[in-house]
Amino acid sequence: MRGLSQQVPPPFQVLKDLMAKARGARDNAYAPYSGFPVGAAVLSGDGVVFRACNVENGSYGLSVCAERNAVSMLVVSGRVNPIAIAVAGPPGVPCTPCGACRQVLAEFNPSMSVVLEDGEGGLEVISLEDLFPRPFQLGESRG
Ligand code: THU
């Protein structure tokens, strides 16, 4: 049986297009406090893309990252099947999801493909399971 860590990533061109959509979503970032705009695009298993940006707040701790906003949009659509996410921070620089976002992404697919800029003009594709092994799982933690 194929393990979750061995999920086959979508074709590279699909992931390139996903990154282009993440970059587009970054244009709408509301990041007046950090000055650090981020865009994310999540691909569902049925081929739909959900885009979002970070949304900051004057009460800083209420700020929400682009990745969590994007996966929330997928869930609001009635889906729970993300297979890939692209994250675009400052152009050309890798922007890996923060720990909170990794946990939220893992809720829906612990081995989804994560697409990042590689800092050399290309893309890096990494499994969420490699970025975030052993997420908290409530069902396994009740004892
Ligand atoms: N941020 C994201 O949206 N995604 C990340 O992967 C890293 C950080 C946001 C949070 C905050 O609005 C700003 O970037 C600076 O931390």
Side-chain angles (χ1 to χ4, degrees):
M1 196 176 89
R2 181 180 291 284
L4 279 174
S5 62
Q6 294 168 305
Q7 175 188 288
V8 177
F12 190 67
Q13 187 59 49
V14 170
L15 298 180
K16 266 181 92 168
D17 292 348
L18 199 61
M19 178 56 85
K21 287 173 177 153
R23 290 186 186 119
R26 186 182 57 209
D27 292 343
N28 291 339
Y30 180 74
Y33 305 106
S34 71
F36 191 89
V38 183
V42 174
L43 176 66
S44 69
D46 55 322
V48 181
V49 175
F50 298 87
R51 291 171 245 216
C53 55
N54 52 337
V55 180
E56 297 187 346
N57 192 275
S59 177
Y60 297 165
L62 300 183
S63 300
V64 184
C65 294
E67 297 93 318
R68 267 175 289 156
N69 282 330
V71 82
S72 292
M73 293 185 69
L74 173 138
V75 173
V76 168
S77 81
R79 293 171 174 83
V80 287
N81 60 346
I83 60 169
I85 183 168
V87 187
V93 178
C95 179
T96 61
C98 77
C101 288
R102 293 177 197 198
Q103 176 67 33
V104 170
L105 295 171
E107 174 80 15
F108 298 103
N109 183 349
S111 61
M112 75 174 74
S113 299
V114 179
V115 188
L116 309 170
E117 310 236 35
D118 70 1
E120 296 174 356
L123 299 182
E124 177 184 4
V125 182
I126 183 167
S127 167
L128 179 59
E129 192 156 70
D130 292 330
L131 266 184
F132 192 61
R134 300 187 62 185
F136 172 70
Q137 289 176 298
L138 183 57
E140 291 180 9
S141 304
R142 286 191 197 274

